[in-house]
Amino acid sequence: MSLAHTAAEYMLSDALLPDRRGSRLKGLRLELPLDKILKFVTVGFPLLLMSLAFAQEFSSGSPISCFSPGNFSVRQAAYVDSCCWDSLAHHKLDEAGQQKVKSLWPHKALPYSLLALAVAMYLPVLLWQYAAVPALSSDLLFIISELDKSYNRSIRLVQHMLKIRQKSSDPHVFWDELEKARKERYFEFPLLERYLACKQRSHSLVATYLLRNSLLLLFTSATYLYLGHFHLDVFFQEEFSCSIKTGLLHAETHVPDLITCRLTSLSVFQIVSLSSAIIYTILVPVIIYNITRLCRWDKRLLSIYEMLPAFDLLSRKMLGCPINDLNVILLFLRANISELISFSWLNVLCVLKDTTTQKHNIDTVVDFMTLLAGLEPSKPKHLAQQAYDEHP
């Protein structure tokens, strides 16, 4: 065995990928980075504001302070605060002199409305977890495994070709067999390509993904309506007139008709309302971007894997409308690029392929590794000329 042949064997052995069959499931990312950020912000931010509202309520005591008459005892003043907080209604006279009652219940419902918002924003996450993640994890495990296996098969094929070439006494026979194998497409393993082509006709994953983001937009719009309709109406009202002449106190003449109260928690209410409106306004373009990126293919990832035999979705123009499961899978393959060991090797080979002087002879990783192993990717010119002279 020659030194060059031994060096080629070592090079091809090093190019083989290790088997990581057991540890792959733990490392899979089944949420895109942008979706993870959306989840933490849309769910975590209301919970943070809710804790702020509860902390203010527990630290400051009563969220309102009423100006009771001077002849009221401490217990009577505490009763006025409690009664006005329970009713939380502003009594005022309109232009006709009729008494109107304006409810200030958004102040009381603030922590619970934030909790309801957090629960609503978590529903799209649950939808994705239960409706899409099981099928997606299965698809990713199969595709990642097949991509790496296809790369390894190509390397082992070059190793086999090198051994045959070393044992072959007649180079014409070797090159004739090699050209026949390429012509008959023996080097191709079309299972993965056909599986991905089938995924173009499937729409369950993309429908779930679109529904997830559409629900986020719907709940965000509902949040705007809630803030605009209920919070804006009481946003600047710090004082209100409260009536405690109800029940047993209705006929008491020493009890005033209205007592002025002040909302001590108004600043927290305003901070929560403003910050919620700002944060969810910022998130709307992010959600829309999440939806619109399904309208284009990630062709860079596909172009790199075109180096594998029988993986020519791009060159055969097999890609149609991008709104299908295959596009979602490609997004998650990009997110799990660290699990694709073959990607870094193929990326390097693509760069080397673009810089080589024999571009027209290199189509797949088999051709390139054949060249690196010291074999011509096609029949040498002197052998082709010799065969032509013998059989003109």
Side-chain angles (χ1 to χ4, degrees), residues 4-258:
H5 179 76
T6 306
E9 279 290 335
Y10 286 157
M11 184 269 295
L12 292 172
S13 298
D14 290 341
L16 285 172
L17 304 178
D19 188 11
R20 290 174 52 198
R21 203 172 305 165
S23 60
R24 277 199 168 141
L25 185 59
K26 299 177 182 178
L28 278 183
R29 296 178 179 88
L30 299 173
E31 267 191 312
L32 297 175
L34 209 53
D35 292 329
K36 196 171 289 187
I37 293 173
L38 282 173
K39 179 181 72 173
F40 284 134
V41 175
T42 56
V43 178
F45 188 70
L47 294 177
L48 177 66
L49 294 179
M50 183 187 72
S51 63
L52 174 65
F54 276 126
Q56 192 274 340
E57 184 176 338
F58 291 141
S59 62
S60 303
S62 177
I64 64 172
S65 176
C66 296
F67 302 100
S68 304
N71 59 346
F72 275 33
S73 65
V74 175
R75 293 183 64 183
Q76 288 174 324
Y79 170 78
V80 169
D81 287 353
S82 175
C83 182
C84 290
W85 176 247
D86 288 340
S87 63
L88 205 61
H90 175 50
H91 297 259
K92 62 179 180 179
L93 297 177
D94 58 10
E95 295 177 356
Q98 299 292 325
Q99 191 177 69
K100 291 183 66 178
V101 179
K102 175 183 175 183
S103 177
L104 304 177
W105 68 267
H107 288 276
K108 188 187 295 186
L110 180 64
Y112 310 102
S113 61
L114 290 171
L115 178 61
L117 177 60
V119 171
M121 288 298 183
Y122 194 65
L123 290 179
V125 179
L126 288 178
L127 171 71
W128 179 256
Q129 289 290 332
Y130 288 100
V133 163
L136 177 65
S137 60
S138 176
D139 287 337
L140 287 177
L141 283 174
F142 173 74
I143 293 171
I144 290 173
S145 176
E146 282 301 310
L147 286 173
D148 288 349
K149 284 179 182 177
S150 183
Y151 170 83
N152 271 354
R153 282 194 293 262
S154 300
I155 300 300
R156 291 193 180 100
L157 182 60
V158 178
Q159 287 179 323
H160 185 64
M161 288 166 55
L162 194 62
K163 290 177 182 177
I164 293 177
R165 179 65 184 90
Q166 186 74 12
K167 295 176 182 178
S168 176
S169 57
D170 186 0
H172 292 282
V173 176
F174 170 75
W175 288 112
D176 289 342
E177 288 294 326
L178 186 59
E179 288 179 0
K180 181 183 177 182
R182 283 177 175 156
K183 192 174 182 181
E184 299 294 333
R185 301 168 70 93
Y186 291 161
F187 296 164
E188 299 187 2
F189 310 98
L191 173 64
L192 179 59
E193 185 186 86
R194 291 179 183 177
Y195 182 76
L196 294 179
C198 288
K199 283 298 173 181
Q200 287 195 84
R201 298 187 290 272
S202 174
H203 299 87
S204 57
L205 285 177
V206 73
T208 308
Y209 192 76
L210 288 174
L211 181 59
R212 172 182 180 170
N213 287 280
S214 300
L215 285 175
L216 283 176
L217 282 177
L218 177 65
F219 294 147
T220 303
S221 303
T223 304
Y224 288 146
L225 290 175
Y226 175 78
L227 291 174
H229 189 267
F230 296 107
H231 281 218
L232 192 61
D233 192 36
V234 297
F235 190 78
F236 298 103
Q237 186 158 359
E238 186 175 7
E239 295 185 351
F240 66 98
S241 299
C242 172
S243 173
I244 60 170
K245 295 189 70 172
T246 56
L248 296 176
L249 298 178
H250 181 69
E252 295 292 332
T253 56
H254 69 281
V255 176
D257 292 335
L258 297 174

